Amino acid sequence: MIDRAQSDRLRMLRLPLIAGVVFIHASTLPPPGSGAYTIDAKTLAQLLLSDGVARLAVPIFFLMAGFFLYGHGAWSGATYLEKLKARARTLLLPMVLWNALSLGLFAASQAHPATARYFSGSTVIANFGPMDYGNALLGVSALPIAHQFWFIRDLIVMVIVSPLLLLAVKAAPKVTLALMASLWLLTAKPYPIPAPEAALFFSVGLFCRARGLSLFSLDGRTRFLLWPYLLLLLATPAYLGQPYGLALRKLEIALGVPVALWLTGLGSPSGKARAFLLRFATASFFIFAAHEPLLTIVKKLLPSVISAPLAVYLLAPVIVIVALLLSHAALHKLSPRLMRLLAGSR
C-alpha cells in the first residue's frame, strides 16, 4: 500500500497531466520527423508546451495504470476476471459511450448545412460501413472517432495481457524492460496495438508494484536529472525536426517522467493550489473524454474573434479546460448518476 502523502501526490498530477493532453491536441505542428520547423512565436510555444512538457502526460498515465492494477495479492484467474470486469466498467463502457456520442454529433453536424463545414474532412459518417463503425467505437484497426480514446483502447489491451506482462517483468525484468525500451526509443512497432509507449510504461508500473517499489523511489536522485531534462526541453526547437530528433525527445521524456513525479513532492503540504488539484482530480477523465471534438470546434471558431495565432493556440485549450471543469461540477451536482456513467464510475 502506498501512503496517503504519495497517493495525494499522484492525484495532484491528474489534472495537470490532462491539461497536457489537451495542449498536445491543440498543436498544429506537423508530425515530428517530417522536417525542420520554421520558428515563430507560435511554433516555439508549441514545441516547448505541446511537443515538450505536455508529452510527459501519456507515459505517466500508463505508468500509474500499471502500478495500480497489480496490488499486493497473488495473481489468480479469479483476480484477473475481477480486473477485467472492473475495467470493462471504467474503461470499455465509457469509451463506447463517448465515441457513440461523438459519432452522433459528427453525423448530425455533417448533415446540416450550417455546421457541416466545422466537421468536414475524410470522416464522412454517411459513407460508413460495418468496419468503419467498429473503428469509430472501438478503434479496432484505426483511431476511434474521438481520437483521444486510443489511450483507453491501448490501456484495455494492456489490462488483457497483464498476466503475461507481470510474469515477464518478474521472471526477466531486465530483458523485458530493455526490449520494450528499445522498441520505444527506436519508434519500432512490430505489432499494431498497443503503442510501444503504452507497453513500456505500463510494464514499468507493473514492475514497480511487483517489487514493492514506490513511483517516487528516485526522488533522492532526480534533482540530478532536472538540468539535463531542461536542457533537452529548451533545445527542442533545434533538434526535433532533425533525423535524430525523435530519439532525443524520447530521452527527454525518459528524464522528464521522474522529474515530474519528483516535483509533486516539493510543494507545501497545504495551500489553495494543492486543494484545487486534489478537488478536481476526479474531473480529469471527464475532461479527457469530452475535450474532443470540442477543442477542434473552438480552434476553428476562435480565429474569427482573435487574429493572433499564438493567442488562439494558448487560449483554445484553456477555454476548453475551464468550460469542462464547470460542466463537470454542474453535471456532478445535477445528475451524479449520469456523471458516474460518463466518467467510468469515477
Side-chain angles (χ1 to χ4, degrees), residues 163-185:
L164 296 176
L165 288 175
L166 184 60
L167 179 64
V169 297
K170 281 185 172 182
K174 293 181 180 179
V175 173
T176 301
L177 297 179
L179 175 61
M180 291 184 176
S182 298
L183 292 175
W184 177 62
L185 287 169

Side-chain angles (χ1 to χ4, degrees), residues 126-143:
N127 299 334
F128 269 20
M131 191 60 183
D132 295 312
Y133 283 106
N135 281 326
L137 295 175
L138 297 171
V140 177
S141 61
L143 289 176

Side-chain angles (χ1 to χ4, degrees), residues 3-58:
D3 60 33
R4 176 63 180 273
Q6 292 184 17
S7 177
D8 283 353
R9 286 175 65 181
L10 292 175
R11 284 183 63 206
M12 283 191 292
L13 264 178
R14 291 187 177 275
L15 188 58
L17 293 180
I18 285 299
V21 170
V22 179
F23 267 91
I24 290 173
H25 295 153
S27 175
T28 57
L29 291 177
S34 58
Y37 296 97
T38 301
I39 302 298
D40 55 21
K42 179 185 175 184
T43 300
L44 181 60
Q46 289 181 111
L47 287 172
L48 295 179
L49 292 176
S50 295
D51 280 291
V53 176
R55 290 290 173 183
L56 302 179
V58 172

